[in-house]
Amino acid sequence: MSVYTSAIAPAAVQYSDYPVAAATTINSGGSMFVSSGEVAEGVIVNRDGFLHVLKGGTVNNATINTYGSLCISSGGVANSTTAEILGYIGVFNGGVANNTILNHGGGLVVFRGGVANDSVMYHAALHISGRGRIYRTQINASAYVYVFSGGIANSTFVNSIGYIRVSSGGVANSTFVNNGGYMRVFEVGSASATFVSSGGSMHIFDTAIATDTHVYTGGSMWIDSGGTARGIISLEENTVCIAHEGAIIDFTAANQTLSGTPLINNWSRITDKGASYTLTVTANQAFGTYALAGGTANFDKTITVKVAQKTIGTLQIGETLTVSGVSYTLNKNTDLLSLTVSDPAAVPPPPQATTAEIILTITDTSHNYFGATGGWKVQTDQTIVWQDLSPLSGDYQILGQGYTVAGKKATDIYIYSASNKYI
């Protein structure tokens, strides 16, 4: 372990090699390098001091004060580091920072290939870029996280007055925006599996994409022009969800379960100020019916249909679009909007030959043919014949009754016999 405690230090302490260094203080111009197999405990880095963790080295419980720096290189690990006002921590490709606390202006930058786990932030800043990754970050009062191109934030908790910004190809997965927290997704940024609680807010700007968003009572979500909300959009009562003119709401049927829960649980809870609607399916979408949205009693929009990113046509309610041997039909049953994907060449199965379409019996005892029973039967070749059922025995179930077309006194009974299997 190489230790330079200051720029000009007594020769006895200027350079030394220790497997373990404890409670070292690095002042202005001083530096410390922790190499493979070495562990540094409780190091304090002051203004213009420098602590560098190399491959195989470990630093525990370090404190980085104003304008002090900690750099974690490939294979280096820093555990339970605290960065105070304007203290700096950089995690480079292959480096790992665990359980970092950022206080009052402390900063953490996770570069390409670096990882930061379980960071807690207060009035501090964290930047991620170039495939850097952070996990289980707590963003508290006036702290903010910027996720830039290639950066990935996983399982982030945005608490009161905390802020996360995702932009330029950054990605946020499993973000929990709590009371007083803010999430903004910009310029080709994407957010997946976002949960917005009461008092939290999420804003999707131009070219940004939000997939599978859940907004709970008291939470809010804004979709700006050019922004896209896709997949699941779950809105509880008393939420705010505003889709501005030019916003895009995509019914993402691709990979959805047949006849499953609607992608949008209640479309009527969206304040539509001129949004556009798209429907995305896969090239090999399974035949069947997909639930798109509930609460659609007043839905009357035109939907642009896409296979992957290619537009194949448009649909309105009740219309069918057939492309490349596949039919897409947009249905609305009361307030449930659904899509049926089918094979236009398929022939509906014929009625079984043993089914009687209409079965009649004469129950008036004064009728000359009292007890006579018959029905129209569909044969195997699809021709229809009258079948005299009078000689047959069995328990008939009454399904309904009426009168003959001729207005005769006899009553006609519609029946079904379980024992006579071809009826």
Side-chain angles (χ1 to χ4, degrees):
M1 190 177 302
S2 303
V3 183
Y4 297 85
T5 57
S6 63
I8 301 175
V13 296
Q14 183 178 8
Y15 176 86
S16 56
D17 291 310
Y18 302 106
V20 177
T24 300
T25 298
I26 304 172
N27 295 313
S28 178
S31 61
M32 179 176 185
F33 296 83
V34 183
S35 300
S36 179
E38 299 173 338
V39 178
E41 297 279 355
V43 177
I44 299 173
V45 184
N46 292 323
R47 184 184 185 99
D48 296 328
F50 179 77
L51 173 61
H52 196 158
V53 189
L54 304 175
K55 182 177 181 179
T58 303
V59 170
N60 298 322
N61 302 302
T63 300
I64 315 301
N65 291 319
T66 302
Y67 296 122
S69 298
L70 164 64
C71 291
I72 308 167
S73 294
S74 178
V77 178
N79 299 312
S80 303
T81 304
T82 300
E84 300 293 354
I85 184 168
L86 300 181
Y88 167 81
I89 302 171
V91 186
F92 295 89
N93 186 19
V96 178
N98 298 314
N99 301 299
T100 303
I101 297 176
L102 303 174
N103 288 326
H104 305 287
L108 171 61
V109 179
V110 183
F111 295 97
R112 180 181 182 85
V115 175
N117 299 310
D118 304 297
S119 302
V120 181
M121 306 172 61
Y122 304 91
H123 304 278
L126 192 161
H127 292 195
I128 323 160
S129 64
R131 304 295 294 177
R133 291 163 291 161
I134 64 172
Y135 297 88
R136 299 173 301 277
T137 303
Q138 296 274 353
I139 309 173
N140 296 307
S142 298
Y144 63 87
V145 169
Y146 282 179
V147 187
F148 294 105
S149 179
I152 303 173
N154 299 297
S155 300
T156 305
F157 298 84
V158 189
N159 300 319
S160 181
I161 324 180
Y163 174 76
I164 181 169
R165 172 179 175 141
V166 185
S167 63
S168 303
V171 176
N173 300 315
S174 298
T175 305
F176 300 84
V177 185
N178 297 319
N179 185 25
Y182 300 87
M183 182 176 193
R184 303 291 183 264
V185 189
F186 293 91
E187 311 114 19
V188 202
S190 67
S192 177
T194 304
F195 303 85
V196 184
S197 297
S198 178
S201 71
M202 178 184 190
H203 205 142
I204 307 161
F205 290 91
D206 185 25
T207 70
I209 299 175
T211 303
D212 298 342
T213 305
H214 305 259
V215 184
Y216 299 103
T217 298
S220 59
M221 173 184 181
W222 283 268
I223 313 167
D224 245 14
S225 178
T228 299
R230 64 192 304 272
I232 296 170
I233 302 176
S234 177
L235 305 170
E236 289 190 349
E237 292 184 1
N238 301 316
T239 57
V240 173
C241 180
I242 298 176
H244 291 279
E245 183 177 0
I248 301 168
I249 296 176
D250 181 65
F251 298 107
T252 316
N255 303 318
Q256 188 195 9
T257 304
L258 284 167
S259 301
T261 303
L263 291 167
I264 301 176
N265 68 317
N266 195 327
W267 176 81
S268 67
R269 292 174 183 164
I270 298 175
T271 301
D272 185 345
K273 295 189 174 183
S276 299
Y277 291 83
T278 59
L279 168 63
T280 301
V281 295
T282 63
N284 57 349
Q285 191 81 25
F287 292 158
T289 299
Y290 299 85
L292 301 181
T296 56
N298 297 319
F299 186 91
D300 60 356
K301 310 296 182 180
T302 297
I303 300 177
T304 299
V305 183
K306 296 185 176 184
V307 176
Q309 297 299 317
K310 181 182 178 181
T311 298
I312 61 171
T314 61
L315 278 175
Q316 290 186 324
I317 292 169
E319 292 182 343
T320 297
L321 172 67
T322 300
V323 178
S324 300
V326 180
S327 290
Y328 306 92
T329 303
L330 189 64
N331 316 293
K332 187 169 73 171
N333 181 8
T334 311
D335 68 347
L336 177 64
L337 188 70
S338 64
L339 171 74
T340 298
V341 183
S342 61
D343 180 356
V347 178
Q352 295 191 19
T354 57
T355 301
E357 296 295 317
I358 302 175
I359 302 173
L360 306 175
T361 190
I362 299 175
T363 58
D364 190 335
T365 57
S366 64
H367 198 283
N368 292 336
Y369 296 97
F370 168 70
T373 303
W376 291 106
K377 186 177 75 169
V378 181
Q379 301 187 108
T380 303
D381 63 1
Q382 301 303 297
T383 60
I384 301 175
V385 298
W386 178 261
Q387 174 72 48
D388 182 8
L389 306 176
S390 300
L392 302 177
S393 62
D395 297 326
Y396 293 104
Q397 176 185 356
I398 298 176
L399 301 178
Q401 62 184 13
Y403 292 90
T404 63
V405 174
K408 291 184 178 180
K409 186 177 180 180
T411 302
D412 299 329
I413 307 296
Y414 295 76
I415 60 176
Y416 169 77
S417 172
S419 59
N420 300 309
K421 297 184 183 301
Y422 66 86
I423 300 172

